[in-house]
Amino acid sequence: DSFEEQYYPSTCLVMEAGVRVLRRKDAPFNKLPFGRLFPRQKLFRNVKDIKTCAIVSSAGSLAGSKLGRFIDTHDIVMRFNHAPTQGHEVDVGSKTTIRVVNSQVVTKPEFDFTRAPIFRNVTIAAWDPGKYNGTLEDWLTSADYDLFSNYELYRRRYPKSRAFLIDPHSVWRLWQSLQMFAGNRPISKNPPSSGFIGLALLLPHCPQVDFVEYVPSTRLNGRCHYYSKEMNSACTFGSWHPLAAEKLMALDMNMAEDDDMSVFQFGILRIRRPDKL
Ligand code: NCC
């Protein structure tokens, strides 16, 4: 085993899942007109200059955190779904580089994916799990929510946009990494949350990731999201997604010096990419 695998096994497991976006050259898309919708650009510009990244969970306990300024100092800031910054800048910051969105957000009319300003001028990584063991051809006809038509509309409307689809096979490989970490405790056969998918997608591009309010801090307040009043602890501790296992694994990846302080007091998990240790 390498040094990294010995000392940071969970981080290595997540990296090995190889969570990625689909590219034009990937079969079967290299033979399908649909594949020509994928951007030619890479997921991020100037990857060599990326030093620090922040992932902002949508958790209710971000409310009142005043972490906005800290979040905005990072080179890359990742957010999820339709989580707003407007009106919440003090707590969550205002910079957004990339949004990871699930296929419900791409398809349901209330989110207005193809027009809403929140999805413009940021990188988009959209995902849908499809069937476990399904082929990519199957996926095109059996996604949980048919994200393809709105993706096509968005790409045609904004040809210069960086909007990508996450490889669903890589989402299930991440699920397998999670199951490997959980050992003999079977996790639910549902895909990881957008938060965990986002972490796995970002880590290969970023030497240091600060994941904010994912493992709940002492600010824990029972609210689902920082941007709504809804009370629902399942958003934090999980029901459909294997969220509890994800958060245990993420905590195991934490490298912050004074770890208990930063995780539970400040709500910040610091994860370093193994090759830069
Ligand atoms: O709620 P959601 O997630 O958009 O949150 C984004 C990510 O933040 C982390 N989170 C959120 C709330 C909380 N209290 N604690 C947290 O740690 C999680 O990592 C989460 O992934 C999703 O993962 O895409 C999800 O999306 C929502 C919903 O579809 C969208 O918000 C659009 O309305 C799902 N909720 C429902 O379907 C009702 C949620 O299960 C997962």
Side-chain angles (χ1 to χ4, degrees):
D1 278 9
S2 69
F3 176 81
E4 283 87 357
E5 276 166 343
Q6 245 181 311
Y7 291 99
Y8 310 99
S10 44
T11 311
C12 291
L13 257 179
V14 164
M15 292 278 289
E16 280 158 20
V19 172
R20 63 189 288 274
V21 293
L22 291 169
R23 307 298 309 186
R24 290 185 177 205
K25 62 175 181 343
D26 295 338
F29 304 100
N30 54 354
K31 300 215 165 57
L32 299 174
F34 185 74
R36 291 204 284 271
L37 288 169
F38 301 164
R40 288 184 192 284
Q41 300 105 298
K42 298 260 172 65
L43 185 61
F44 296 112
R45 305 184 176 86
N46 308 327
V47 177
K48 284 198 195 82
D49 300 336
I50 301 173
K51 292 191 176 64
T52 65
C53 301
I55 310 184
V56 186
S57 92
S58 303
S61 25
L62 265 165
S65 69
K66 298 207 166 67
L67 287 171
R69 212 182 307 219
F70 169 74
I71 289 167
D72 283 348
T73 62
H74 293 77
D75 300 322
I76 293 211
V77 178
M78 172 183 275
R79 303 181 192 273
F80 300 101
N81 296 321
H82 59 306
T85 52
Q86 214 176 30
H88 305 273
E89 292 87 349
V90 174
D91 294 330
V92 305
S94 54
K95 179 171 177 173
T96 305
T97 317
I98 176 169
R99 274 184 192 275
V100 174
V101 298
N102 70 38
S103 51
Q104 296 191 47
V105 173
V106 176
T107 51
K108 290 188 176 172
E110 68 255 38
F111 298 111
D112 196 16
F113 175 72
T114 64
R115 296 237 185 241
I118 201 165
F119 303 118
R120 297 293 316 286
N121 304 314
V122 297
T123 298
I124 298 281
W127 70 276
D128 179 283
K131 308 272 168 292
Y132 188 86
N133 273 339
T135 65
L136 291 172
E137 284 91 346
D138 296 337
W139 183 58
L140 285 170
T141 56
S142 67
D144 280 11
Y145 292 85
D146 173 21
L147 73 173
F148 306 109
S149 27
N150 266 355
Y151 176 73
E152 176 160 0
L153 198 57
Y154 182 101
R155 285 288 296 148
R156 288 195 190 288
R157 208 166 262 169
Y158 316 115
K160 290 190 177 141
S161 61
R162 294 174 115 88
F164 301 86
L165 297 178
I166 296 180
D167 178 350
H169 288 164
S170 72
V171 169
W172 287 112
R173 286 196 302 268
L174 182 62
W175 179 89
Q176 287 165 345
S177 290
L178 197 58
Q179 179 60 86
M180 205 104 82
F181 175 79
N184 57 9
R185 295 153 298 191
I187 60 171
S188 64
K189 216 166 181 175
N190 295 317
S193 74
S194 295
F196 202 61
I197 293 172
L199 170 63
L201 181 67
L202 190 52
L203 205 50
H205 305 278
C206 197
Q208 179 181 301
V209 176
D210 287 331
F211 202 155
V212 182
E213 204 55 59
Y214 182 54
V215 170
S217 75
T218 53
R219 281 186 298 267
L220 187 66
N221 58 11
R223 276 166 63 179
C224 182
H225 297 124
Y226 66 82
Y227 53 85
S228 110
K229 296 250 176 311
E230 184 198 348
M231 300 295 286
N232 185 352
S233 292
C235 300
T236 303
F237 297 108
S239 52
W240 193 73
H241 295 289
L243 206 57
E246 292 174 19
K247 294 186 180 201
L248 267 179
M249 191 168 184
L251 183 59
D252 194 57
M253 296 163 75
N254 181 46
M255 296 282 300
E257 307 268 302
D258 194 3
D259 36 76
D260 293 0
M261 268 301 278
S262 78
V263 178
F264 301 120
Q265 209 61 26
F266 306 121
I268 297 155
L269 205 65
R270 180 159 288 179
I271 297 169
R272 281 190 237 280
R273 191 173 59 194
D275 54 19
K276 292 279 158 61
L277 288 168

